[in-house]
Amino acid sequence: MPYPFVLPTTSSFSFSSSFGCDSHPSIPLNASTHRGVVRETLKKHKRLPSSAQSPSLSSVVSSLNGYLPYLFAVDAGLSHREVHGDEINVVLKTAPVIEWRPILSDSSIPGKEPPRVKIQSLEYEVFFTLSALANAYTLQARTALHPLYLTASAPVGTQQRQIAIAAATKALLDAASLYDYLTTRAESLVISSNPPPPCAEISPAAVRAQRSLALAEATLLAVLKDDPYPAIVAQDRNQNDTEWMYKAPDIPKVRAHLFARLCLAAGEHAAQAHSLCAGRVGGGRMNEAFVRYLEDLRRTSRAKACRFFGIDAELGGQTGTAIAWLHAGLQELGIERKETAKKSGGLGRLKKEWSEKREDRKVEKGTADWGGDAGRLEETRVIEMLEAKWNKQNDTMFTQIVPPTGPLLAQMPSGREMHSVKPFQPPMLSAATLEAMRAPPDRSDESGNYASSDEETLTDGTLVGAFPGTQGEYRTGTPNYF
C-alpha cells in the first residue's frame, strides 16, 4: 500500500521581486500567477477532512502541472538554456525568499508538524514543487487502490480490480520518474555553488530513497495484479459477500517463483530506501513514521516472497517445505506463529485482534493513515490462512517433516526487476505562449507577499489567508493581485 503522504504548503512569492526578464517581460508575472494557484490549492486541500481530500487531488495535480512550465522557463533563463530555439534572458535582482513546509523531516516537538523552512534558491523551489507533485501522484495511487480493501461493501469485480491496479501503477511510476529526475539534478548540485538543502527530505539521499520507495510499491502492485490470496482473505471478512453460498473461491495457479523474485526486488528497493533514510540525512533526520514504514515494507516484501516460494513448493507436492516457507514469512514479519502465541497466553492474541480491528476501521473510514503498516497486517492474514490450510492437509494426509527455516532463507535468490523508470521531460511553454510572453505585463505582482501562515490567525484576529481590501479592510477568498 503506497505511503500516506501529507501534501506540503508554501508561502506566497512574487517572481518580479527577485527576477527580471528583458526578453520576455511577462514570464515573472505569469509564474507568480500560477504559483499563487498552487499555493491556494494546497492550502484548501490541507484544510479538508482526510476523508474528503481524495477528490481534490486532481485539482492539486492540475495546478502543479500548470505551474511547472513557467517555473522551468525561469530556470532555463537563469541557466542560459534555449527553449524552442529562443533564448530567455532572466536576471537575478535579489535572492528569493520562499517558505515551504516539509512533510518528511523530523519535528523537534513530538506530535507537531515541522516548521516551514526558508529557501533562497530557485533550485530548491523546483525540488519542493516536483516532490509535491510526486506525493500527489502517490496519493492518487492510494485513492485508486482504496476500494480493493473495503470489507463493508460488495467486493470489487475482477475487471475493476485490474483497472484500479493499473491506474495506481501508472501513478507510482510517474512519481518514480520525478524522483529519478530530482536524483540526477541533486547530483549536479553537489559540485555546484548552490547552498545546502534546507531540510532532510530534499537532500540527495532522501530523493533517492523516495525513488526506491515508489519503485518498490509499483513492483508489489505487479504482483498484486495476479495474486488471488489477498482478495480471498478480504472476501472472507466481507459481510456483504454472498458468493460463498453457491461457489467456492477461485484460486488460479500463479507464477509463484516469478512473483517471489519480484517481491524480493521490491524488498531490495525498500531496504535501499531505509538505509538512505536511517540516521542523519542532509544535516537532519527523516520522520520516524516514514523510516518505520520503509522497514515494514521491506519485511512485507520478503514475507510475500516466502509465501510465493511456499506456494511453489506446495504445487510441487512438498507440503512440509511449503509450511516451512510460511514460517519463514512470519519470521520476516516479526509475527509469532499461532501455536507459539497460544502457549504464551491470550493477552498477545487479544492485542493482535484489537490492532486488526483498528486497522479495518481506518480503511472503512478512509482516514489519512490507513495502510500505514505497509501491508504487514494483510500479508499476516494471508500467511496464517495458508498455514492453517496446509497444516491440516499435512496432519491428515501427507505427514511430511517441516524443515527449519534458516537454510531456506539462506538459499533465496536475487530479485528480478519489473519496471523501468521513464525519464522525466520537464514541461516547457509552447512556442506560441513563449512568444506571447514578449509583451509587457499589464500589471505588477510585487504587492502579493502577504502573511502566509496556513494554521494561525493574524495578531488582530483576522483570518489566515485574508487579503487586503480596497480601504485597509480584510476580505477572504482568492487574491486578485495575480
Side-chain angles (χ1 to χ4, degrees), residues 186-324:
E187 291 172 354
S188 64
L189 287 181
V190 175
I191 58 176
S192 66
S193 58
N194 281 273
C199 60
E201 69 186 59
I202 60 171
S203 63
V207 171
R208 290 198 301 271
Q210 292 178 78
R211 175 190 181 276
S212 296
L213 171 60
L215 269 180
E217 292 169 335
T219 303
L220 288 181
L221 287 186
V223 176
L224 179 64
K225 183 179 178 182
D226 296 316
D227 184 5
Y229 295 97
I232 292 172
V233 171
Q235 186 178 0
D236 185 58
R237 302 194 328 272
N238 194 328
Q239 298 179 355
N240 296 299
D241 175 54
T242 58
E243 190 178 88
W244 62 271
M245 296 181 180
Y246 59 88
K247 178 185 176 184
D250 294 327
I251 306 180
K253 290 186 178 181
V254 297
R255 295 165 290 176
H257 198 272
L258 172 62
F259 288 171
R261 293 192 61 189
L262 291 178
C263 291
L264 287 175
E268 291 167 3
H269 285 304
Q272 181 184 19
H274 182 267
S275 65
L276 289 169
C277 290
R280 296 190 65 82
V281 180
R285 291 186 178 274
M286 298 292 284
N287 183 275
E288 183 180 343
F290 180 69
V291 177
R292 184 169 59 248
Y293 176 88
L294 296 176
E295 174 62 15
D296 287 342
L297 184 63
R298 184 195 67 82
R299 288 176 173 272
T300 302
S301 300
R302 289 182 61 85
K304 283 181 181 290
C306 292
R307 169 164 65 88
F308 282 113
F309 282 129
I311 293 172
D312 187 55
E314 197 271 339
L315 290 174
Q318 302 176 4
T319 309
T321 304
I323 295 173

Side-chain angles (χ1 to χ4, degrees), residues 76-371:
L78 289 174
S79 304
H80 306 290
R81 296 193 306 269
E82 292 186 352
V83 179
H84 302 299
D86 198 357
E87 186 175 352
I88 304 175
N89 298 319
V90 175
V91 294
L92 178 66
K93 297 192 292 186
T94 182
V97 179
I98 311 172
E99 292 183 355
W100 281 88
R101 187 180 304 282
I103 58 172
L104 295 179
S105 300
D106 196 19
S107 175
S108 57
I109 303 177
K112 189 172 182 177
E113 59 185 4
R116 284 184 174 180
V117 295
K118 287 185 178 181
I119 59 176
Q120 296 183 320
S121 170
L122 193 69
E123 193 70 35
Y124 293 122
E125 170 74 4
V126 173
F127 271 67
F128 271 109
T129 303
L130 290 181
S131 295
L133 181 58
N135 294 341
Y137 283 147
T138 303
L139 292 177
Q140 284 186 325
R142 284 173 56 83
T143 301
L145 295 173
H146 185 230
L148 307 185
Y149 296 89
L150 296 176
T151 57
S153 57
V156 176
T158 304
Q159 184 176 1
Q160 291 81 1
R161 180 182 178 85
Q162 301 292 331
I163 293 174
I165 293 176
T169 302
K170 180 182 181 303
L172 288 173
L173 290 178
D174 288 342
S177 178
L178 290 171
Y179 285 124
D180 188 60
Y181 171 80
L182 289 178
T183 299
T184 304
R185 191 154 178 153
E187 291 172 354
S188 64
L189 287 181
V190 175
I191 58 176
S192 66
S193 58
N194 281 273
C199 60
E201 69 186 59
I202 60 171
S203 63
V207 171
R208 290 198 301 271
Q210 292 178 78
R211 175 190 181 276
S212 296
L213 171 60
L215 269 180
E217 292 169 335
T219 303
L220 288 181
L221 287 186
V223 176
L224 179 64
K225 183 179 178 182
D226 296 316
D227 184 5
Y229 295 97
I232 292 172
V233 171
Q235 186 178 0
D236 185 58
R237 302 194 328 272
N238 194 328
Q239 298 179 355
N240 296 299
D241 175 54
T242 58
E243 190 178 88
W244 62 271
M245 296 181 180
Y246 59 88
K247 178 185 176 184
D250 294 327
I251 306 180
K253 290 186 178 181
V254 297
R255 295 165 290 176
H257 198 272
L258 172 62
F259 288 171
R261 293 192 61 189
L262 291 178
C263 291
L264 287 175
E268 291 167 3
H269 285 304
Q272 181 184 19
H274 182 267
S275 65
L276 289 169
C277 290
R280 296 190 65 82
V281 180
R285 291 186 178 274
M286 298 292 284
N287 183 275
E288 183 180 343
F290 180 69
V291 177
R292 184 169 59 248
Y293 176 88
L294 296 176
E295 174 62 15
D296 287 342
L297 184 63
R298 184 195 67 82
R299 288 176 173 272
T300 302
S301 300
R302 289 182 61 85
K304 283 181 181 290
C306 292
R307 169 164 65 88
F308 282 113
F309 282 129
I311 293 172
D312 187 55
E314 197 271 339
L315 290 174
Q318 302 176 4
T319 309
T321 304
I323 295 173
W325 275 116
L326 295 183
H327 293 171
L330 291 175
Q331 179 180 327
E332 290 287 347
L333 291 170
I335 303 295
E336 286 186 333
R337 292 167 47 199
K338 283 189 173 181
E339 292 80 0
T340 307
K342 287 179 181 178
K343 292 178 182 178
S344 61
L347 183 60
R349 187 168 65 253
L350 289 174
K351 183 179 179 180
K352 179 174 176 292
E353 291 175 356
W354 178 80
S355 63
E356 290 179 356
K357 291 179 180 179
R358 183 180 62 176
E359 182 63 26
D360 288 340
R361 286 194 297 268
K362 287 181 181 180
V363 174
E364 297 302 329
K365 293 180 180 179
T367 58
D369 59 342
W370 70 272

Side-chain angles (χ1 to χ4, degrees), residues 21-78:
C21 185
D22 295 333
S23 61
H24 300 77
S26 291
I27 283 183
L29 172 64
N30 281 272
S32 297
T33 301
H34 286 82
R35 192 183 188 283
V37 175
V38 169
R39 175 177 177 262
E40 288 300 309
T41 306
L42 289 173
K43 188 164 61 174
K44 289 178 181 178
H45 176 85
K46 181 178 181 179
R47 290 176 175 176
L48 291 173
S50 58
S51 58
Q53 287 182 342
S54 296
S56 73
L57 287 173
S58 58
S59 298
V60 172
V61 171
S62 177
S63 64
L64 287 167
N65 281 324
Y67 169 52
L68 283 176
Y70 294 91
L71 177 60
F72 279 112
V74 178
D75 179 62
L78 289 174

